[in-house]
Amino acid sequence: MEIWINPACSKCRGAVRLLDAEGAEYTVRRYLEDVPSPEEIRAVLDRLGLEPWDITRTQEADAKELGLKEWPREAGSRERWISALAERPRLIQRPIITADDGTAVVARTDEAVREALGR
């Protein structure tokens, strides 16, 4: 199991605390420092069953600078969104847990963290 975190994020710290409390074995990826490639983002999206706009933090300054709210949310724009996430990882929703069974979850709640633990 791997968790993508930003240590400054309270939701990330809460997810790590819960994983620790449950005795889970996992690795931490500080994705702002160890930036995921477009291929890794595609793989996580496949595991999540989501599109890149579904995991984009549209309220971030970078999102406003890029005008992301105006970008089309359609198959033809998918790669543009993925490139933006790879170039500006602060836009990626967090935390994301990739579970041992090949799935993933955006773990912003305790329930989502427990869901990942149960996989």
Side-chain angles (χ1 to χ4, degrees):
M1 179 179 306
E2 181 177 76
I3 183 169
W4 291 9
I5 68 162
N6 172 353
C9 167
S10 63
K11 298 283 187 189
C12 293
R13 291 190 308 269
V16 167
R17 274 194 302 273
L18 183 53
L19 290 172
D20 289 343
E22 295 292 327
E25 291 185 26
Y26 64 95
T27 57
V28 171
R29 180 170 187 171
R30 293 179 178 217
Y31 71 94
L32 297 179
E33 298 163 15
D34 182 8
V35 178
S37 68
E39 294 78 22
E40 289 174 305
I41 292 170
R42 280 187 215 96
V44 164
L45 288 167
D46 288 346
R47 292 174 80 165
L48 288 165
L50 296 174
E51 294 296 337
W53 45 85
D54 296 326
I55 66 162
T56 301
R57 299 172 55 83
T58 57
Q59 298 303 314
E60 289 287 327
D62 284 355
K64 291 176 183 177
E65 180 182 318
L66 292 171
L68 286 182
K69 284 192 173 189
E70 308 305 318
W71 287 17
R73 296 176 181 218
E74 60 193 20
S77 298
R78 189 172 200 264
E79 288 304 312
R80 181 180 184 196
W81 283 84
I82 290 170
S83 292
L85 293 174
E87 291 167 13
R88 301 185 188 211
R90 192 169 302 281
L91 294 173
I92 299 171
Q93 189 59 264
R94 60 192 183 245
I96 294 177
I97 297 175
T98 55
D100 293 336
D101 70 352
T103 62
V105 63
V106 177
R108 295 192 54 78
T109 64
D110 287 354
E111 293 77 25
V113 175
R114 286 189 181 95
E115 178 184 334
L117 284 168
R119 294 180 177 185

